[in-house]
């Protein structure tokens, strides 16, 4: 994973660079920003994996997502790091490098 964000109600988002995706789920044992270690676990019935949008050619262009946060319950904001140099990544990764992205959740 490249980042994780947990809200005060336990809503969680985790990003992955390798799969150009993010997971949203619910962490139990979190209420009003307080954590109860004895109840801390993810709700297996409340989770979804989303892929970041792809190019028209179906290439992953969100290659270097390094950070994520919730804007509200229906939107996330992600940030991308600089593209890896010296041919370590395909040229289409340049399109979204060093950028801020906002996404409305379905």
């Amino acid at each position: 994973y490249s980042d994780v964000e947990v809200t005060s109600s336990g809503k969680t988002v985790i990003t992955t660079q390798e799969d150009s995706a993010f997971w949203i789920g619910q962490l139990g044992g979190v209420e009003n920003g307080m954590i109860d270690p004895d109840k801390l676990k993810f709700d297996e019935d409340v989770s979804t994996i989303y892929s970041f949008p792809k190019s028209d050619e179906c290439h992953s262009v969100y290659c270097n997502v390094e950070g994520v946060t919730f804007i509200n319950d229906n939107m996330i904001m992600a940030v991308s790091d600089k593209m890896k140099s010296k041919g370590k990544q395909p040229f289409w990764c340049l399109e979204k490098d060093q950028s801020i992205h906002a996404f409305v959740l379905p």
Side-chain angles (χ1 to χ4, degrees), residues 8-104:
S8 62
S9 65
K11 189 169 184 177
T12 304
V13 60
I14 301 173
T15 56
T16 170
Q17 284 184 358
E18 187 170 337
D19 297 322
S20 189
F22 59 98
W23 175 92
I24 292 184
Q26 184 65 39
L27 183 60
V30 180
E31 189 174 329
N32 297 322
M34 301 298 291
I35 298 172
D36 182 343
D38 295 328
K39 296 180 182 177
L40 202 61
K41 71 174 193 168
F42 285 107
D43 183 339
E44 295 177 16
D45 297 325
V46 183
S47 69
T48 307
I49 297 172
Y50 299 96
S51 293
F52 285 107
K54 304 212 181 284
S55 71
D56 291 340
E57 295 79 28
C58 206
H59 296 298
S60 293
V61 291
Y62 293 89
C63 305
N64 297 302
V65 173
E66 288 282 339
V68 67
T69 191
F70 285 100
I71 297 172
N72 58 40
D73 282 342
N74 301 310
M75 294 181 71
I76 62 165
M77 181 177 291
V79 293
S80 292
D81 199 1
K82 187 174 182 177
M83 180 179 146
K84 293 170 182 62
S85 62
K86 300 181 182 170
K88 293 179 183 172
Q89 285 185 303
F91 69 90
W92 51 78
C93 291
L94 182 62
E95 182 179 341
K96 302 292 183 186
D97 89 331
Q98 301 180 79
S99 302
I100 299 172
H101 324 284
F103 300 98
V104 176

